[in-house]
Amino acid sequence: MDNKHVFSEGLFTARSGVSVILAVIAEILIGLILAGIIIWHVTHPEPPPPVEKVAVITIPPNPPPPPPPPPNTPIPKLPTPQPLSEVPAIPSPIPVPNAIPPQPPQPPPVATPPPQVDIAAVRANFYAELHAAIDAAKVYPRQAILSGATGTTTVSFDYYDGSVSNIRIDRSSGDRSLDRAAMDAVRNAHYPPPPPQFQGQKLHFSVPVVFNLG
């Protein structure tokens, strides 16, 4: 009997412990549920009430007042026509004796044609200028001076507006140094501009270049 009583008391104590644990768990669950409800209400606020739409009534503006009537403008009176007066007759001119008759208009003066230009004389003068420019550019070769060589080299070339081309020897002097000096003189000369009659034209000349020690 004593053992049975002890067993029953132990069983009651165990049941009481389980009840306490269940009660604690129940309180924790209730607290969690309440906390979840509070958090849900905080994160999900109630939506605001719908705004009632108010109809807007537009009042049309007052119509403009009618324009004032035009003033009564009096009709101007036309002037009465005046009677036409007689215009006096224009007297005719009295002829004057021994009057000088008007002179007929003079014909315009006839332009005098310009004098004829002698092209041959213009070319001859220009040729003399070219020859003088070549003589001024002539340099006597030192080798020819030492050897006493003399002679005349005839050089032909084309002239066009101050420049020359196609330079060649038509007749040699017999000395190579003199021939080369003649061609250099033609190539390096400072030529005058062409006369107006020869501007824009290619001219051909043949000029003798003389080398003489005396």
Side-chain angles (χ1 to χ4, degrees):
M1 292 297 291
D2 292 336
N3 294 331
K4 185 177 183 180
H5 179 71
V6 173
F7 177 76
S8 298
E9 186 176 355
L11 182 60
F12 177 75
T13 302
R15 289 179 177 177
S16 299
V18 172
S19 300
V20 171
I21 293 172
L22 292 176
V24 172
I25 293 173
E27 290 180 0
I28 292 173
L29 291 175
I30 292 172
L32 292 175
I33 292 172
L34 292 176
I37 293 172
I38 293 172
I39 292 172
W40 188 87
H41 279 286
V42 171
T43 57
H44 296 77
E46 294 182 1
V51 180
E52 296 182 359
K53 295 183 180 180
V54 180
V56 179
I57 300 175
T58 303
I59 301 175
N62 295 328
N72 295 328
T73 305
I75 300 173
K77 295 182 179 181
L78 298 176
T80 57
Q82 298 294 331
L84 300 176
S85 59
E86 295 181 358
V87 179
I90 300 175
S92 58
I94 300 174
V96 179
N98 298 328
I100 300 174
Q103 297 295 328
Q106 297 295 330
V110 179
T112 303
Q116 297 293 330
V117 179
D118 189 355
I119 300 298
V122 174
R123 184 183 177 92
N125 293 334
F126 185 56
Y127 174 84
E129 295 178 0
L130 296 182
H131 200 175
I134 294 172
D135 282 340
K138 180 178 61 177
V139 177
Y140 213 113
R142 181 178 180 81
Q143 180 182 357
I145 294 175
L146 295 177
S147 62
T150 60
T152 301
T153 303
T154 304
V155 183
S156 64
F157 58 91
D158 293 333
Y159 173 91
Y160 180 78
D161 286 350
S163 61
V164 295
S165 59
N166 297 329
I167 303 172
R168 61 181 179 273
I169 296 176
D170 289 347
R171 185 175 181 180
S172 174
S173 64
D175 187 275
R176 285 190 173 184
S177 62
L178 295 181
D179 292 343
R180 287 195 298 268
M183 294 186 68
D184 291 340
V186 173
R187 187 179 298 108
N188 301 326
H190 296 284
Y191 296 101
Q197 294 80 5
F198 296 145
Q199 288 182 354
Q201 300 180 19
K202 180 182 289 188
L203 306 175
H204 184 76
F205 295 99
S206 180
V207 177
V209 183
V210 179
F211 294 93
N212 189 354
L213 291 175

